[in-house]
Amino acid sequence: MLKDILVIVDGGKAAERRIEAAAVLAEVNEAHLVGLHVASAAEEMPWIEGYATEMVIRYATERAETDRAKARDLFERQVAGRAITSEWREASGLADRTVALHGRYADLIVLGQTEPDAAPFGAAPGLAEHVPLSSGRPCLIVPYAGRFPTLGRRVLVAWDGGREAARAVNDAMPLLRRAERVTIVTIGDRLQGGGSAAQGANALAAHLTRHGIVAEARNDGGGTITVPDLLLSLAADLSSDLLVMGAYGHSRLRELIMGGVTKAILDHMTLPVLMSH
């Protein structure tokens, strides 16, 4: 069950949609919603230490305060009038570590996709890349572009038979049980670690059926299209409003250097994605 949801709130342009998604999930699941704003003091920014003038530090501090005030206003406006309990938290420090720490006391962490043009001292970059690895909790990542009036009605599950994918499916159970349609997709002929991809999709569908979840299993041969492009294309074809997948089946360093499915999805996502590691 989802009873504690943590949403990361900043003053960025996409924060309102992220809070809205978290608030809707809290309403549907009768969960407590926590809005967390993490401020990085100028003195904690490594590029400032030893180089910045007092004026630059003062500017950074003022911008951070503006961002904090805007973030709290966005959160309070989104939760007002909703049938949920909520609370506002403020913390300071390195954003990824602070979010992971608070996230360990929640059932789900709601993050935003990194905005390419985020203002300095505002939205912390890279949380979607770091927090799924360090928090030990499932993370729902909401794209910075687009609106998402529904979330979790039509779910696409990316299944490769790996540990991370298994963790993601288990973490997504509260959402899958409420879904109107669940589609499991495997790509290629073989699963990670061996075994037939088609048989693996059918086995997962049977497992979900025993949990009262009706799921369709399908296999795609892949071909010339990359796995991330195929997943996003299929999600669009099925009008999916949630993608469930494992995060970083290979090491994060390898994905950063060589590229990988997780990194590509985080860069080009077009719908909310629930990731677990």
Side-chain angles (χ1 to χ4, degrees), residues 27-248:
E27 279 188 311
V28 169
N29 291 277
E30 298 180 348
H32 181 69
L33 180 63
V34 177
L36 173 65
H37 177 76
V38 181
S40 293
E43 294 81 0
E44 294 173 319
M45 300 178 185
W47 60 269
I48 281 184
E49 186 178 356
Y51 298 95
T53 65
E54 182 179 344
M55 182 179 67
V56 172
I57 294 175
R58 184 168 62 251
Y59 170 78
T61 302
E62 290 172 354
R63 286 298 301 268
E65 172 57 25
T66 299
D67 185 74
R68 183 205 64 78
K70 183 178 179 182
R72 181 163 190 169
D73 179 65
L74 286 172
F75 181 78
E76 290 179 346
R77 284 196 283 112
Q78 274 294 332
V79 300
R82 294 185 184 270
I84 58 174
T85 61
S86 63
E87 67 178 280
W88 175 253
R89 291 182 193 166
E90 295 175 7
S92 63
L94 295 174
D96 56 339
R97 295 180 185 177
T98 305
V99 170
L101 176 62
H102 284 261
R104 292 183 188 123
Y105 301 95
D107 299 310
L108 179 70
I109 304 171
V110 182
L111 304 163
Q113 179 190 21
T114 299
E115 298 183 48
D117 57 348
F121 318 116
L127 288 181
E129 289 80 5
H130 291 278
V131 175
L133 286 174
S134 59
S135 65
R137 288 291 186 265
C139 295
L140 177 68
I141 298 127
V142 180
Y144 63 78
R147 300 204 71 89
F148 310 97
T150 65
L151 199 159
R153 290 185 184 176
R154 300 173 299 279
V155 183
L156 179 64
V157 176
W159 182 251
D160 64 2
R163 181 187 71 83
E164 294 79 10
R167 175 73 181 273
V169 170
N170 189 68
D171 288 339
M173 281 292 190
L175 301 177
L176 298 180
R177 290 191 181 97
R178 293 181 176 274
E180 297 171 0
R181 186 184 69 217
V182 177
T183 304
I184 302 162
V185 61
T186 53
I187 298 172
D189 297 326
R190 307 292 290 176
L191 292 174
Q192 180 178 314
S196 163
Q199 290 178 358
N202 288 325
L204 180 59
H207 170 66
L208 294 180
T209 298
R210 286 186 280 273
H211 283 270
I213 301 164
V214 178
E216 173 195 1
R218 58 187 296 168
N219 175 259
D220 193 293
T224 58
I225 187 171
T226 66
V227 171
D229 286 343
L230 194 154
L231 288 174
L232 294 177
S233 176
L234 182 57
D237 292 343
L238 295 173
S239 299
S240 301
D241 57 8
L242 179 65
L243 172 63
V244 174
M245 61 181 286
Y248 297 109

